[in-house]
Amino acid sequence: LVPQSIGVDLGGTKCLGVLLDDRGSVVAEHRVHTPVGADAIVDAIAEIAKELGPGLPVGVGAPGLITREGVLRFAPNLPGVVEVPLRALLVERLGVDVEIENDATAACWAEHEVGAAQGADDAVMATLGTGIGGGLVVDGRLARGANGFAGEIGHMVVDPDGPPCPCGKRGCWERFASGSGLGRLARERGIGERGEEVTAAAIRGDAAAVAVMAEFAHWVALGLVNLAYLLDPELFVLGGGMVACGSVLLDPVRAAFTELLAGAGHRPTVRVEQAALGERAGAIGAALLARGR
Ligand SMILES: [Zn+2]
């Protein structure tokens, strides 16, 4: 292990970098706008690394399909960025050890090591934002899959006739259980144009908004139930912008989960918890992964 490392969360609009000390605490932060194009993105990450601590190992959490070798294959939120050997480019540029991981997988590792899933050998993280990302800890280890693509849970199909998804398929879980899914429900039920309007109204106790939140929570729980059948986790950690509202979403999700799960009365309760690390989770996880697995 090394005493310090840098983590960068490469997002669609911003790159957030953190410097972690030897105890896994964030001691410095640096953020820049995400530029367009692979070369400019490499420049931006290099700038963050130089600002936070030249010579330290760097981890990057990136959206999309990341291979075990650190090649960014496909990232719908980064226009024109396909088949980029990000790890090799950064190693060449910085001359340090570099790890590249899917952003939600990195966030899951952070929650497991220093956040809401500490001590849980089997945990699933779902980040509910514009879409849904996922990370899986199985038997105490990060599950990565044959290619590194494990945890693309947002594209599990929950309605074959459902709305089209940016991934090119139809009826994906993230069309229903993300911020865009709540926005669609809001428009259909006449509550407003955006998901945020529903959550704000539900927090105020508006009955129609509370009903829409319950409907939305049902879609969130449906995906979690399928994941529970597959992985039997001790807990789910929910992160991303959608869970900032806390119990107004989490309580109906817990209720719907119990209602939908077969044999719920014969199983220990599967906890559904809010993520502890907020928007820094992906960067913290990437920094931890940069220290070695
Ligand atoms: Zn999809």
Side-chain angles (χ1 to χ4, degrees):
L1 289 183
V2 295
Q4 293 188 317
S5 59
I6 291 165
V8 178
D9 188 358
L10 170 60
T13 55
K14 69 171 192 300
C15 294
L16 169 62
V18 300
L19 172 62
L20 283 200
D21 70 6
D22 55 351
R23 291 167 305 137
S25 300
V26 174
V27 290
E29 190 179 295
H30 186 67
R31 62 180 79 203
V32 299
H33 283 290
T34 302
V36 177
D39 292 344
I41 284 172
V42 170
D43 290 344
I45 295 170
E47 181 200 322
I48 289 171
K50 196 174 145 198
E51 179 73 25
L52 289 175
L56 295 176
V58 175
V60 178
L65 297 179
I66 317 294
T67 70
R68 284 174 172 259
E69 292 74 35
V71 177
L72 203 172
R73 280 274 166 91
F74 170 64
N77 292 330
L78 300 173
V81 179
V82 287
E83 302 295 341
V84 177
L86 195 54
R87 182 183 184 185
L89 291 170
L90 284 167
V91 167
E92 185 184 302
R93 173 70 73 89
L94 297 168
V96 299
D97 288 338
V98 176
E99 285 287 338
I100 315 285
E101 184 52 90
N102 171 269
D103 51 1
T105 301
C108 180
W109 191 242
E111 293 290 343
H112 178 264
E113 292 293 289
V114 295
Q118 282 180 75
D121 278 347
D122 293 275
V124 174
M125 178 161 191
T127 57
L128 312 181
T130 315
I132 297 179
L136 318 170
V137 172
V138 177
D139 286 338
R141 303 170 72 116
L142 205 50
R144 307 186 68 225
N147 303 292
F149 304 161
E152 291 291 302
I153 61 178
H155 303 286
M156 299 188 303
V157 174
V158 294
D159 178 1
D161 302 317
C165 181
C167 75
K169 305 300 178 189
R170 226 170 228 292
C172 299
W173 185 36
E174 71 169 41
R175 289 303 92 211
F176 297 89
S178 67
S180 41
L182 183 58
R184 191 167 50 85
L185 270 183
R187 292 188 291 277
E188 283 174 12
R189 302 289 178 267
I191 303 284
E193 290 299 310
R194 297 176 304 117
E196 290 88 338
E197 297 172 57
V198 182
T199 35
I203 289 167
R204 290 197 304 271
D206 178 274
V210 169
V212 170
M213 284 303 276
E215 196 178 346
F216 177 69
H218 186 276
W219 285 111
V220 175
L222 182 63
L224 300 185
V225 162
N226 285 325
L227 290 164
Y229 292 142
L230 182 67
L231 295 161
D232 183 26
E234 180 179 330
L235 86 161
F236 289 102
V237 178
L238 301 187
M242 292 302 298
V243 294
C245 60
S247 61
V248 75
L249 174 62
L250 290 174
D251 286 346
V253 167
R254 292 175 181 126
F257 179 82
T258 303
E259 187 189 311
L260 288 167
L261 185 67
H266 303 279
R267 301 165 180 259
T269 302
V270 185
R271 291 186 288 137
V272 179
E273 304 290 351
Q274 188 165 359
L277 302 171
E279 64 158 4
R280 287 166 159 183
I284 293 170
L288 291 170
L289 289 168
R291 298 173 179 203
R293 294 173 189 277

